[in-house]
Amino acid sequence: MSTPTIAEANRLFEEGLLDPVELLSEVLHRASLTEAELHAYLTIDHEGARRRAEAAAERLARGERRGPLDGIPIALKDNLCTKGVETTCASQILAGWVPPYDATAVARLQEAGAVLVGKTNLDEFAMGSSTENSAYGPTRNPWDTERVPGGSSGGSAAAVAVGSAVAALGSDTGGSIRQPAALCGVVGFKPTYGLVSRYGLVAFASSLDQIGPITRTVADAGMLFEVIAGHDPLDATSYPGQVPRWDAELDAGVGGVRIGLVRELSGDGIDPEVAEVCRRVLDLLSDQGAQVVEVSLPTVEVALSAYYLVAPAECSANLARFDGIRYGLRVPGDTVSETMGRTRAEGFGPEVTRRILLGTYALSAGYYDAFYLQAQRVRALVVQDFAEAYQKADVLVSPTSPTTAFPLGAKVADPLAMYMSDVCTIPSNLAGHPAISLPVGLDSAGLPIGLQIMAPALGETLLFRVAAEVERVAGFDARPRLAEGMP
Protein backbone atom coordinates (compact mmCIF):
# COMPACT_ATOMS: atom_id res chain seq x y z
CA MET A 1 0.00 0.00 0.00
CA SER A 2 1.05 3.62 -0.35
CA THR A 3 1.68 5.61 2.81
CA PRO A 4 -1.68 7.21 3.71
CA THR A 5 -2.30 10.74 4.90
CA ILE A 6 -3.34 11.27 8.52
CA ALA A 7 -6.99 11.52 7.46
CA GLU A 8 -6.76 8.36 5.34
CA ALA A 9 -5.02 6.44 8.13
CA ASN A 10 -7.76 7.39 10.58
CA ARG A 11 -10.43 6.10 8.21
CA LEU A 12 -8.53 2.84 7.68
CA PHE A 13 -8.09 2.44 11.44
CA GLU A 14 -11.82 2.92 12.01
CA GLU A 15 -12.72 0.43 9.27
CA GLY A 16 -10.37 -2.21 10.66
CA LEU A 17 -8.30 -2.28 7.47
CA LEU A 18 -5.09 -1.06 9.11
CA ASP A 19 -3.53 -0.82 12.53
CA PRO A 20 -0.67 1.36 13.83
CA VAL A 21 1.89 -1.47 13.78
CA GLU A 22 1.16 -2.17 10.11
CA LEU A 23 1.35 1.52 9.28
CA LEU A 24 4.70 1.90 11.04
CA SER A 25 6.01 -1.16 9.18
CA GLU A 26 5.08 0.47 5.86
CA VAL A 27 6.80 3.72 6.83
CA LEU A 28 9.96 1.93 7.97
CA HIS A 29 9.91 -0.17 4.80
CA ARG A 30 9.88 2.99 2.70
CA ALA A 31 12.75 4.36 4.75
CA SER A 32 14.72 1.17 4.10
CA LEU A 33 14.16 1.58 0.34
CA THR A 34 15.01 5.28 0.13
CA GLU A 35 17.41 6.29 2.89
CA ALA A 36 20.61 5.18 1.17
CA GLU A 37 19.87 7.67 -1.61
CA LEU A 38 17.82 10.27 0.27
CA HIS A 39 19.42 10.62 3.74
CA ALA A 40 16.33 12.24 5.24
CA TYR A 41 16.98 10.84 8.74
CA LEU A 42 19.87 11.19 11.14
CA THR A 43 18.36 8.72 13.63
CA ILE A 44 15.53 6.20 13.32
CA ASP A 45 14.26 5.05 16.70
CA HIS A 46 13.16 1.54 15.66
CA GLU A 47 12.65 0.23 19.18
CA GLY A 48 10.85 3.27 20.57
CA ALA A 49 8.64 3.63 17.49
CA ARG A 50 7.66 -0.04 17.59
CA ARG A 51 6.79 0.23 21.28
CA ARG A 52 4.59 3.28 20.68
CA ALA A 53 2.88 1.68 17.68
CA GLU A 54 2.05 -1.43 19.68
CA ALA A 55 0.57 0.68 22.48
CA ALA A 56 -1.49 2.62 19.93
CA ALA A 57 -2.71 -0.64 18.39
CA GLU A 58 -3.86 -1.83 21.82
CA ARG A 59 -5.77 1.43 22.37
CA LEU A 60 -7.35 1.08 18.94
CA ALA A 61 -8.49 -2.47 19.76
CA ARG A 62 -10.05 -1.23 23.01
CA GLY A 63 -11.75 1.72 21.33
CA GLU A 64 -9.72 4.18 23.42
CA ARG A 65 -7.86 6.22 20.79
CA ARG A 66 -6.55 9.55 22.03
CA GLY A 67 -7.42 11.47 18.86
CA PRO A 68 -6.50 11.72 15.17
CA LEU A 69 -2.73 11.49 15.74
CA ASP A 70 -2.91 8.29 17.81
CA GLY A 71 -0.83 5.69 15.99
CA ILE A 72 0.40 8.08 13.29
CA PRO A 73 4.16 7.87 12.47
CA ILE A 74 5.67 11.36 12.69
CA ALA A 75 9.28 12.46 12.13
CA LEU A 76 10.99 15.23 14.12
CA LYS A 77 13.57 17.72 12.94
CA ASP A 78 16.75 17.08 14.88
CA ASN A 79 16.78 20.45 16.63
CA LEU A 80 13.83 19.38 18.80
CA CYS A 81 14.89 17.87 22.11
CA THR A 82 13.84 14.25 22.60
CA LYS A 83 14.35 12.56 25.95
CA GLY A 84 16.54 9.49 25.54
CA VAL A 85 17.15 10.04 21.80
CA GLU A 86 20.23 11.79 20.45
CA THR A 87 19.68 15.40 19.38
CA THR A 88 22.52 16.83 17.28
CA CYS A 89 21.15 19.84 15.35
CA ALA A 90 23.22 18.25 12.53
CA SER A 91 26.34 19.61 14.25
CA GLN A 92 29.52 17.95 15.43
CA ILE A 93 29.41 20.10 18.55
CA LEU A 94 26.35 18.15 19.79
CA ALA A 95 27.32 14.70 18.50
CA GLY A 96 26.19 12.11 21.04
CA TRP A 97 24.16 14.53 23.16
CA VAL A 98 21.01 12.91 24.57
CA PRO A 99 18.58 15.42 26.14
CA PRO A 100 17.09 14.69 29.57
CA TYR A 101 13.71 16.13 28.54
CA ASP A 102 11.29 16.45 25.61
CA ALA A 103 10.46 19.68 23.80
CA THR A 104 6.90 20.76 24.60
CA ALA A 105 5.77 20.10 21.01
CA VAL A 106 7.26 16.59 21.21
CA ALA A 107 5.62 15.93 24.58
CA ARG A 108 2.25 16.98 23.18
CA LEU A 109 2.63 14.59 20.28
CA GLN A 110 3.49 11.81 22.72
CA GLU A 111 0.39 12.61 24.79
CA ALA A 112 -1.71 12.45 21.62
CA GLY A 113 -0.41 8.93 20.92
CA ALA A 114 1.77 9.79 17.93
CA VAL A 115 4.43 7.27 16.91
CA LEU A 116 7.69 9.22 16.77
CA VAL A 117 9.80 7.60 14.07
CA GLY A 118 13.10 9.42 14.37
CA LYS A 119 15.09 12.61 13.90
CA THR A 120 15.49 14.21 10.48
CA ASN A 121 18.46 15.91 8.86
CA LEU A 122 18.77 19.70 8.66
CA ASP A 123 21.20 22.48 7.94
CA GLU A 124 23.44 22.75 11.02
CA PHE A 125 21.53 24.56 13.79
CA ALA A 126 18.84 25.28 11.16
CA MET A 127 21.12 27.73 9.33
CA GLY A 128 20.67 27.20 5.61
CA SER A 129 18.31 26.83 2.68
CA SER A 130 19.42 23.53 1.18
CA THR A 131 20.27 20.98 3.94
CA GLU A 132 23.79 20.93 2.55
CA ASN A 133 25.22 22.45 5.74
CA SER A 134 24.61 19.32 7.83
CA ALA A 135 27.75 17.92 9.45
CA TYR A 136 26.44 14.46 8.52
CA GLY A 137 26.02 15.04 4.79
CA PRO A 138 23.23 16.50 2.68
CA THR A 139 19.70 15.30 2.20
CA ARG A 140 18.68 14.92 -1.44
CA ASN A 141 15.45 15.86 -3.16
CA PRO A 142 13.18 12.85 -3.80
CA TRP A 143 12.04 14.36 -7.12
CA ASP A 144 15.62 14.54 -8.41
CA THR A 145 18.40 13.29 -6.16
CA GLU A 146 20.94 15.56 -7.84
CA ARG A 147 19.05 18.53 -6.39
CA VAL A 148 18.58 19.98 -2.92
CA PRO A 149 15.40 19.43 -0.87
CA GLY A 150 15.49 22.99 0.48
CA GLY A 151 16.28 23.87 4.04
CA SER A 152 16.72 23.97 6.81
CA SER A 153 13.95 21.36 7.39
CA GLY A 154 14.97 19.43 4.28
CA GLY A 155 15.02 16.03 5.98
CA SER A 156 11.47 16.44 7.30
CA ALA A 157 10.14 17.58 3.92
CA ALA A 158 11.90 14.80 2.01
CA ALA A 159 10.66 12.11 4.42
CA VAL A 160 7.04 13.23 4.09
CA ALA A 161 7.33 13.51 0.30
CA VAL A 162 8.62 9.97 -0.08
CA GLY A 163 6.38 8.41 2.59
CA SER A 164 9.04 7.47 5.16
CA ALA A 165 6.93 9.55 7.57
CA VAL A 166 3.23 10.33 7.43
CA ALA A 167 3.94 13.83 8.76
CA ALA A 168 6.81 15.72 10.36
CA LEU A 169 7.69 18.72 12.47
CA GLY A 170 10.10 21.37 11.28
CA SER A 171 11.18 24.78 12.50
CA ASP A 172 10.88 28.01 10.55
CA THR A 173 13.14 31.00 11.26
CA GLY A 174 13.18 32.56 7.79
CA GLY A 175 11.29 30.01 5.70
CA SER A 176 12.78 26.74 6.87
CA ILE A 177 9.44 24.89 6.84
CA ARG A 178 7.84 26.50 3.81
CA GLN A 179 10.77 26.59 1.38
CA PRO A 180 11.68 22.87 1.66
CA ALA A 181 7.98 22.00 1.54
CA ALA A 182 7.76 23.89 -1.77
CA LEU A 183 10.86 22.23 -3.20
CA CYS A 184 9.68 18.75 -2.14
CA GLY A 185 6.03 19.10 -3.21
CA VAL A 186 4.39 18.94 0.23
CA VAL A 187 2.52 21.29 2.59
CA GLY A 188 4.49 23.37 5.10
CA PHE A 189 2.89 25.64 7.69
CA LYS A 190 4.47 28.29 9.94
CA PRO A 191 2.01 29.35 12.68
CA THR A 192 1.75 32.80 14.23
CA TYR A 193 4.81 33.42 16.42
CA GLY A 194 4.05 32.20 19.94
CA LEU A 195 1.21 29.82 19.12
CA VAL A 196 3.53 26.81 19.38
CA SER A 197 5.89 26.62 22.35
CA ARG A 198 9.60 26.92 21.58
CA TYR A 199 10.56 25.15 24.81
CA GLY A 200 12.97 22.39 23.84
CA LEU A 201 13.64 23.78 20.38
CA VAL A 202 17.39 24.43 20.25
CA ALA A 203 17.34 28.15 19.57
CA PHE A 204 18.70 29.77 16.42
CA ALA A 205 17.04 33.23 16.52
CA SER A 206 14.59 33.39 19.40
CA SER A 207 12.40 36.23 18.10
CA LEU A 208 11.95 34.48 14.75
CA ASP A 209 11.90 30.71 15.40
CA GLN A 210 8.59 28.85 15.20
CA ILE A 211 7.78 25.12 15.12
CA GLY A 212 5.25 23.87 12.59
CA PRO A 213 4.00 20.87 10.58
CA ILE A 214 5.07 19.43 7.24
CA THR A 215 2.40 17.16 5.74
CA ARG A 216 0.91 16.02 2.45
CA THR A 217 -2.41 17.84 2.85
CA VAL A 218 -3.81 21.02 4.36
CA ALA A 219 -6.11 19.07 6.70
CA ASP A 220 -3.19 16.99 7.97
CA ALA A 221 -1.27 20.20 8.75
CA GLY A 222 -4.27 21.48 10.69
CA MET A 223 -4.59 18.31 12.76
CA LEU A 224 -0.92 18.42 13.69
CA PHE A 225 -1.08 22.14 14.48
CA GLU A 226 -4.08 21.65 16.78
CA VAL A 227 -2.14 19.19 18.93
CA ILE A 228 1.12 21.12 19.28
CA ALA A 229 -0.36 24.64 19.65
CA GLY A 230 -1.42 26.33 22.86
CA HIS A 231 0.01 28.24 25.80
CA ASP A 232 3.04 26.82 27.58
CA PRO A 233 4.26 28.38 30.86
CA LEU A 234 7.74 27.06 30.05
CA ASP A 235 8.01 29.50 27.13
CA ALA A 236 7.84 33.19 28.08
CA THR A 237 6.90 34.11 24.49
CA SER A 238 4.03 31.61 24.34
CA TYR A 239 0.70 33.23 23.40
CA PRO A 240 -1.68 33.03 26.40
CA GLY A 241 -4.93 33.47 24.45
CA GLN A 242 -7.13 31.05 22.56
CA VAL A 243 -5.64 29.23 19.57
CA PRO A 244 -7.55 29.97 16.33
CA ARG A 245 -9.61 27.07 15.00
CA TRP A 246 -7.96 25.84 11.83
CA ASP A 247 -11.08 24.01 10.62
CA ALA A 248 -13.79 26.54 11.52
CA GLU A 249 -14.22 27.69 7.90
CA LEU A 250 -12.35 24.96 6.04
CA ASP A 251 -15.12 24.26 3.49
CA ALA A 252 -16.34 27.84 3.09
CA GLY A 253 -14.54 28.45 -0.21
CA VAL A 254 -13.08 31.80 -1.26
CA GLY A 255 -16.17 33.66 -2.38
CA GLY A 256 -15.72 37.31 -1.42
CA VAL A 257 -12.19 36.81 -0.06
CA ARG A 258 -9.73 39.50 -1.12
CA ILE A 259 -6.45 37.87 -2.17
CA GLY A 260 -3.46 40.18 -2.57
CA LEU A 261 -0.63 39.23 -4.90
CA VAL A 262 2.53 40.85 -3.54
CA ARG A 263 4.08 42.87 -6.38
CA GLU A 264 7.62 42.79 -5.01
CA LEU A 265 7.53 38.98 -4.64
CA SER A 266 6.03 38.06 -7.99
CA GLY A 267 8.09 39.89 -10.64
CA ASP A 268 11.84 40.36 -11.02
CA GLY A 269 13.88 37.56 -9.47
CA ILE A 270 11.08 34.99 -9.70
CA ASP A 271 11.53 32.19 -12.23
CA PRO A 272 8.99 32.74 -15.05
CA GLU A 273 7.64 29.19 -14.80
CA VAL A 274 7.10 29.58 -11.06
CA ALA A 275 5.34 32.91 -11.55
CA GLU A 276 3.13 31.54 -14.33
CA VAL A 277 1.94 28.52 -12.34
CA CYS A 278 1.13 30.68 -9.32
CA ARG A 279 -0.74 33.18 -11.51
CA ARG A 280 -2.77 30.32 -13.00
CA VAL A 281 -3.87 29.26 -9.51
CA LEU A 282 -4.97 32.81 -8.75
CA ASP A 283 -7.10 32.78 -11.93
CA LEU A 284 -8.77 29.60 -10.68
CA LEU A 285 -9.45 31.24 -7.32
CA SER A 286 -10.93 34.23 -9.11
CA ASP A 287 -13.27 31.83 -10.94
CA GLN A 288 -14.42 30.62 -7.50
CA GLY A 289 -15.42 34.13 -6.42
CA ALA A 290 -12.22 35.48 -4.89
CA GLN A 291 -11.24 39.08 -5.58
CA VAL A 292 -7.60 39.06 -6.68
CA VAL A 293 -5.79 42.38 -6.28
CA GLU A 294 -2.17 43.49 -6.45
CA VAL A 295 -0.65 44.89 -3.26
CA SER A 296 2.72 46.39 -2.44
CA LEU A 297 5.07 45.64 0.46
CA PRO A 298 7.86 48.14 -0.32
CA THR A 299 10.13 47.18 2.57
CA VAL A 300 10.29 43.48 1.64
CA GLU A 301 13.06 44.51 -0.76
CA VAL A 302 15.25 45.26 2.27
CA ALA A 303 13.72 42.62 4.58
CA LEU A 304 16.36 40.07 3.54
CA SER A 305 19.15 42.43 4.62
CA ALA A 306 17.44 43.16 7.93
CA TYR A 307 16.90 39.45 8.58
CA TYR A 308 20.57 38.67 8.00
CA LEU A 309 21.47 41.10 10.77
CA VAL A 310 18.74 40.22 13.28
CA ALA A 311 19.03 36.44 12.91
CA PRO A 312 22.85 36.21 13.14
CA ALA A 313 22.86 38.60 16.12
CA GLU A 314 20.44 36.35 18.01
CA CYS A 315 22.33 33.26 16.83
CA SER A 316 25.58 34.73 18.18
CA ALA A 317 24.00 35.08 21.62
CA ASN A 318 22.17 31.74 21.59
CA LEU A 319 25.13 29.66 20.47
CA ALA A 320 27.49 31.13 23.08
CA ARG A 321 26.35 28.30 25.40
CA PHE A 322 28.21 25.72 23.28
CA ASP A 323 31.58 26.22 24.89
CA GLY A 324 33.00 22.76 25.49
CA ILE A 325 32.49 23.08 29.24
CA ARG A 326 28.89 22.16 30.06
CA TYR A 327 27.83 19.59 27.45
CA GLY A 328 28.49 18.46 23.90
CA LEU A 329 31.87 18.28 22.20
CA ARG A 330 34.97 19.19 24.23
CA VAL A 331 38.37 19.69 22.64
CA PRO A 332 40.88 20.14 25.50
CA GLY A 333 43.30 23.06 25.62
CA ASP A 334 45.85 24.33 28.11
CA THR A 335 43.43 26.97 29.40
CA VAL A 336 39.67 27.35 29.64
CA SER A 337 39.78 29.98 26.90
CA GLU A 338 41.80 27.71 24.64
CA THR A 339 39.42 24.80 25.29
CA MET A 340 36.45 26.96 24.29
CA GLY A 341 38.18 28.21 21.16
CA ARG A 342 39.27 24.76 19.98
CA THR A 343 35.87 23.26 20.71
CA ARG A 344 33.99 25.92 18.76
CA ALA A 345 36.47 25.85 15.88
CA GLU A 346 36.14 22.09 15.46
CA GLY A 347 32.48 21.79 16.43
CA PHE A 348 30.85 24.45 14.27
CA GLY A 349 30.70 24.23 10.48
CA PRO A 350 31.50 27.13 8.13
CA GLU A 351 27.95 28.50 7.76
CA VAL A 352 27.33 28.55 11.51
CA THR A 353 30.72 30.18 12.04
CA ARG A 354 29.91 32.79 9.38
CA ARG A 355 26.63 33.72 11.05
CA ILE A 356 28.13 33.86 14.55
CA LEU A 357 30.81 36.25 13.26
CA LEU A 358 28.23 38.38 11.42
CA GLY A 359 26.06 38.57 14.52
CA THR A 360 28.90 39.31 16.90
CA TYR A 361 30.11 42.10 14.63
CA ALA A 362 26.59 43.60 14.34
CA LEU A 363 26.26 43.66 18.14
CA SER A 364 29.73 44.99 18.86
CA ALA A 365 30.43 48.42 20.30
CA GLY A 366 30.40 51.08 17.62
CA TYR A 367 28.37 49.01 15.17
CA TYR A 368 25.22 48.18 17.18
CA ASP A 369 23.35 51.35 16.14
CA ALA A 370 24.48 51.20 12.52
CA PHE A 371 23.58 47.55 11.95
CA TYR A 372 21.45 45.74 14.52
CA LEU A 373 19.35 48.70 15.63
CA GLN A 374 18.81 49.82 12.04
CA ALA A 375 17.70 46.27 11.12
CA GLN A 376 15.14 46.35 13.92
CA ARG A 377 13.80 49.64 12.56
CA VAL A 378 13.39 48.00 9.15
CA ARG A 379 11.60 45.11 10.85
CA ALA A 380 9.10 47.58 12.34
CA LEU A 381 8.53 49.03 8.87
CA VAL A 382 7.90 45.53 7.46
CA VAL A 383 5.19 45.03 10.09
CA GLN A 384 3.71 48.41 9.16
CA ASP A 385 3.70 47.51 5.44
CA PHE A 386 1.85 44.26 6.20
CA ALA A 387 -0.75 46.17 8.24
CA GLU A 388 -1.39 48.53 5.33
CA ALA A 389 -1.57 45.66 2.83
CA TYR A 390 -4.18 43.90 4.97
CA GLN A 391 -6.39 46.97 4.61
CA LYS A 392 -6.63 46.06 0.92
CA ALA A 393 -6.56 42.26 1.07
CA ASP A 394 -7.60 39.55 3.53
CA VAL A 395 -4.67 37.28 2.71
CA LEU A 396 -1.49 37.79 0.69
CA VAL A 397 0.09 35.37 -1.77
CA SER A 398 3.43 34.90 -3.52
CA PRO A 399 5.56 32.05 -4.80
CA THR A 400 7.12 30.29 -1.82
CA SER A 401 10.54 30.11 -3.44
CA PRO A 402 11.91 32.14 -6.37
CA THR A 403 12.93 28.89 -8.10
CA THR A 404 12.30 25.19 -7.97
CA ALA A 405 14.94 22.88 -6.45
CA PHE A 406 18.46 23.79 -7.57
CA PRO A 407 21.38 21.37 -8.09
CA LEU A 408 23.42 20.21 -5.12
CA GLY A 409 26.49 22.41 -4.76
CA ALA A 410 25.18 25.15 -7.06
CA LYS A 411 25.06 27.86 -4.37
CA VAL A 412 27.39 26.56 -1.66
CA ALA A 413 30.22 28.88 -2.68
CA ASP A 414 27.93 31.92 -2.97
CA PRO A 415 26.21 32.63 0.38
CA LEU A 416 24.32 35.66 -1.00
CA ALA A 417 22.76 33.56 -3.78
CA MET A 418 21.78 30.95 -1.19
CA TYR A 419 20.26 33.59 1.10
CA MET A 420 18.07 34.80 -1.80
CA SER A 421 16.25 31.47 -1.66
CA ASP A 422 14.36 32.83 1.36
CA VAL A 423 13.41 36.22 -0.06
CA CYS A 424 9.69 35.32 -0.25
CA THR A 425 9.42 33.68 3.16
CA ILE A 426 11.48 35.92 5.46
CA PRO A 427 8.95 38.80 5.70
CA SER A 428 6.38 36.66 7.56
CA ASN A 429 9.01 35.70 10.15
CA LEU A 430 10.01 39.31 10.71
CA ALA A 431 6.33 40.18 11.24
CA GLY A 432 5.50 37.06 13.29
CA HIS A 433 2.59 36.22 10.98
CA PRO A 434 1.33 32.79 9.88
CA ALA A 435 2.08 31.50 6.38
CA ILE A 436 1.61 28.23 4.52
CA SER A 437 3.12 26.72 1.37
CA LEU A 438 1.20 24.34 -0.88
CA PRO A 439 2.33 22.46 -4.00
CA VAL A 440 0.41 23.77 -7.01
CA GLY A 441 2.20 22.42 -10.08
CA LEU A 442 5.40 21.25 -11.75
CA ASP A 443 7.93 23.09 -13.87
CA SER A 444 9.18 21.83 -17.24
CA ALA A 445 11.82 19.71 -15.44
CA GLY A 446 9.10 17.97 -13.41
CA LEU A 447 9.99 19.75 -10.16
CA PRO A 448 7.29 20.99 -7.75
CA ILE A 449 6.29 24.63 -7.41
CA GLY A 450 4.94 26.04 -4.14
CA LEU A 451 2.44 28.85 -3.59
CA GLN A 452 2.68 30.77 -0.30
CA ILE A 453 -0.39 32.16 1.48
CA MET A 454 0.15 34.72 4.26
CA ALA A 455 -2.33 36.06 6.82
CA PRO A 456 -2.29 38.54 9.72
CA ALA A 457 -1.27 37.40 13.20
CA LEU A 458 -3.76 34.85 14.58
CA GLY A 459 -5.34 34.62 11.12
CA GLU A 460 -5.03 30.84 10.91
CA THR A 461 -8.77 30.25 10.39
CA LEU A 462 -8.87 32.26 7.16
CA LEU A 463 -5.42 31.01 6.13
CA PHE A 464 -6.60 27.39 6.24
CA ARG A 465 -9.86 28.29 4.48
CA VAL A 466 -7.99 29.76 1.51
CA ALA A 467 -5.36 27.01 1.57
CA ALA A 468 -8.04 24.31 1.38
CA GLU A 469 -9.50 25.95 -1.72
CA VAL A 470 -6.07 26.32 -3.33
CA GLU A 471 -5.47 22.63 -2.67
CA ARG A 472 -8.81 21.77 -4.29
CA VAL A 473 -8.45 23.90 -7.43
CA ALA A 474 -4.76 23.11 -7.99
CA GLY A 475 -5.42 19.38 -7.74
CA PHE A 476 -1.75 18.55 -7.19
CA ASP A 477 -1.32 14.76 -7.04
CA ALA A 478 2.13 14.15 -8.56
CA ARG A 479 4.58 11.85 -6.79
CA PRO A 480 8.37 12.16 -6.55
CA ARG A 481 10.65 9.88 -8.52
CA LEU A 482 11.80 7.97 -5.45
CA ALA A 483 8.16 7.07 -4.67
CA GLU A 484 7.46 5.80 -8.20
CA GLY A 485 7.11 2.06 -8.46
CA MET A 486 6.32 1.71 -4.77
CA PRO A 487 2.95 0.09 -4.08
Side-chain angles (χ1 to χ4, degrees):
M1 70 170 198
S2 61
T3 304
T5 64
I6 295 174
E8 289 168 347
N10 278 290
R11 177 179 57 79
L12 293 170
F13 288 163
E14 291 167 5
E15 294 175 357
L17 300 176
L18 182 68
D19 73 34
V21 173
E22 294 168 334
L23 178 55
L24 175 64
S25 295
E26 171 60 24
V27 163
L28 293 178
H29 176 63
R30 282 176 174 260
S32 71
L33 294 176
T34 59
E35 270 303 289
E37 197 169 358
L38 199 63
H39 190 38
Y41 284 94
L42 293 178
T43 301
I44 295 180
D45 183 14
H46 290 271
E47 182 180 337
R50 177 71 61 178
R51 186 173 63 251
R52 295 184 192 98
E54 289 171 349
E58 291 174 4
R59 289 192 295 272
L60 176 63
R62 296 194 304 265
E64 298 174 358
R65 291 192 72 219
R66 297 177 180 174
L69 297 189
D70 201 348
I72 303 297
I74 296 175
L76 304 169
K77 186 175 181 179
D78 197 32
N79 60 349
L80 290 161
C81 289
T82 43
K83 184 177 181 179
V85 178
E86 185 180 19
T87 298
T88 69
C89 295
S91 178
Q92 290 290 353
I93 208 161
L94 280 179
W97 183 62
V98 178
Y101 65 97
D102 284 321
T104 295
V106 173
R108 289 179 176 176
L109 289 179
Q110 302 255 39
E111 292 163 8
V115 176
L116 306 182
V117 180
K119 310 298 290 294
T120 55
N121 199 12
L122 64 150
D123 287 296
E124 185 180 3
F125 282 100
M127 298 180 196
S129 305
S130 64
T131 316
E132 293 173 284
N133 294 327
S134 170
Y136 305 103
T139 296
R140 294 172 179 265
N141 193 306
W143 295 81
D144 178 350
T145 53
E146 295 304 310
R147 295 177 183 266
V148 304
S152 61
S153 307
S156 288
V160 172
V162 83
S164 58
V166 172
L169 289 187
S171 65
D172 193 310
T173 306
S176 287
I177 288 173
R178 290 160 288 154
Q179 188 254 13
L183 270 52
C184 288
V186 292
V187 174
F189 169 51
K190 183 197 85 71
T192 298
Y193 180 82
L195 281 185
V196 178
S197 171
R198 292 184 298 106
Y199 179 76
L201 171 68
V202 179
F204 164 14
S206 300
S207 75
L208 300 163
D209 298 341
Q210 186 64 156
I211 298 166
I214 296 175
T215 60
R216 281 171 47 206
T217 69
V218 170
D220 280 9
M223 284 185 271
L224 202 50
F225 166 62
E226 184 174 340
V227 168
I228 63 174
H231 180 63
D232 178 16
L234 297 174
D235 176 3
T237 62
S238 176
Y239 177 65
Q242 186 173 358
V243 176
R245 283 283 304 278
W246 68 273
D247 57 350
E249 301 175 2
L250 199 63
D251 300 320
V254 291
V257 177
R258 299 174 301 165
I259 299 176
L261 176 64
V262 180
R263 181 186 307 140
E264 292 82 2
L265 300 179
S266 56
D268 292 344
I270 305 298
D271 181 273
E273 283 191 276
V274 172
E276 172 58 28
V277 168
C278 291
R279 184 74 233 191
R280 197 181 311 146
V281 173
L282 291 180
D283 290 342
L284 293 172
L285 294 177
S286 182
D287 293 342
Q288 298 304 312
Q291 180 186 352
V292 178
V293 298
E294 187 175 78
V295 300
S296 178
L297 295 173
T299 51
V300 302
E301 294 183 345
V302 291
L304 190 73
S305 299
Y307 173 88
Y308 277 104
L309 286 167
V310 174
E314 296 185 10
C315 135
S316 171
N318 279 325
L319 270 62
R321 72 193 69 181
F322 302 106
D323 54 12
I325 304 299
R326 286 166 285 192
Y327 51 81
L329 178 70
R330 183 175 189 179
V331 181
D334 293 336
T335 65
V336 171
S337 179
E338 188 176 321
T339 295
M340 289 181 180
R342 287 183 176 180
T343 297
R344 291 168 70 82
E346 292 191 25
F348 289 137
E351 181 59 29
V352 173
T353 301
R354 179 184 293 116
R355 297 201 195 191
I356 290 173
L357 292 174
L358 279 170
T360 304
Y361 183 81
L363 292 174
S364 61
Y367 297 101
Y368 178 91
D369 287 354
F371 293 107
Y372 181 73
L373 190 59
Q374 189 70 4
Q376 291 289 19
R377 291 191 182 112
V378 171
R379 184 176 188 175
L381 292 175
V382 170
V383 174
Q384 182 178 313
D385 274 359
F386 269 112
E388 292 176 4
Y390 286 125
Q391 297 298 313
K392 302 172 183 176
D394 301 309
V395 298
L396 306 181
V397 298
S398 76
T400 308
S401 173
T403 68
T404 52
F406 47 89
L408 287 155
K411 300 183 181 183
V412 169
D414 188 349
L416 291 179
M418 184 73 79
Y419 296 168
M420 286 298 296
S421 300
D422 298 328
V423 68
C424 297
T425 52
I426 276 172
S428 290
N429 294 87
L430 289 172
H433 294 170
I436 191 169
S437 176
L438 296 89
V440 292
L442 301 174
D443 70 2
S444 56
L447 299 169
I449 293 167
L451 177 74
Q452 176 179 223
I453 307 168
M454 298 166 275
L458 303 176
E460 274 78 0
T461 298
L462 180 58
L463 185 76
F464 272 90
R465 172 184 169 184
V466 176
E469 188 67 8
V470 169
E471 184 175 61
R472 188 184 71 80
V473 300
F476 185 87
D477 61 358
R479 302 179 73 198
R481 181 188 66 78
L482 275 186
E484 291 175 0
M486 292 187 187

